[in-house]
Amino acid sequence: MATATTPSDRRGVLKLLAGFLGAGMAALATVPVVGSVLTPLLRKTPSAGGFIDVLAEKELVADVPHRVELSSTQIDAWNTSTAVLGAAWVLKKKDGSLTALSTVCPHSGCSISQKTKDTYGCPCHASTFSLDGTATEGPSPRPMDPLTVQVKDGRVLVKHARFRIGTKEREEI
Ligand code: FES
């Protein structure tokens, strides 16, 4: 036996459907808001220990040292900050190969600058280095510290590293 539906039953069903539809639309409306709140948490933070893009290879001239800053951009949830980690002397040789040397003096940590066309010099205690980093004068206990360098898609990438100062043996810290 079939049961007849009354107008008030149909109104109840329609109200229920309208309620579900409204709740569904409200839930959909929150997706962009929730997404924008959570997106910063899902971003990757660049590693300070990774390679740092320092300049275009075409900017380098053979046998002319180029000082570059090594900085890292950190994305921490909603904040982006850039920290300077150090600096390097990048040198392109005539054969096209690249070297990178830390500017931190192995003696006491002062910043090494270019002294002449063919030498680097430390202003603190007058250590002198050749362009390949060899210590030639002064109290530096070892050559300048090499950094890993590579070229990718025409960009020069240098890997930042820190070394113990004041020691004859090179030790990364
Ligand atoms: S810190 Fe460079 S020579 Fe002393």
Side-chain angles (χ1 to χ4, degrees), residues 105 107-110 122 124-127 139:
C105 181
H107 179 230
S108 288
C110 291
C122 180
C124 292
H125 311 99
S127 282

Side-chain angles (χ1 to χ4, degrees), residues 66-152:
H66 200 108
R67 190 182 189 281
V68 294
E69 200 169 78
L70 303 175
S71 55
S72 171
T73 299
Q74 299 291 317
I75 301 170
D76 177 15
W78 295 269
N79 300 314
T80 300
S81 60
T82 300
V84 177
L85 304 174
W89 285 105
V90 175
L91 182 69
K92 183 178 187 175
K93 296 185 198 164
K94 281 204 169 68
D95 66 5
S97 63
L98 300 185
T99 60
L101 298 169
S102 171
T103 60
V104 177
C105 181
H107 179 230
S108 288
C110 291
S111 181
I112 295 169
S113 54
Q114 190 172 8
K115 189 175 176 185
T116 67
K117 186 173 89 48
D118 300 316
T119 61
Y120 298 112
C122 180
C124 292
H125 311 99
S127 282
T128 303
F129 307 87
S130 57
L131 291 189
D132 67 1
T134 303
T136 54
E137 281 178 52
S140 180
R142 63 173 188 264
M144 290 168 72
D145 296 312
L147 301 174
T148 307
V149 61
Q150 63 177 223
V151 177
K152 192 173 181 188

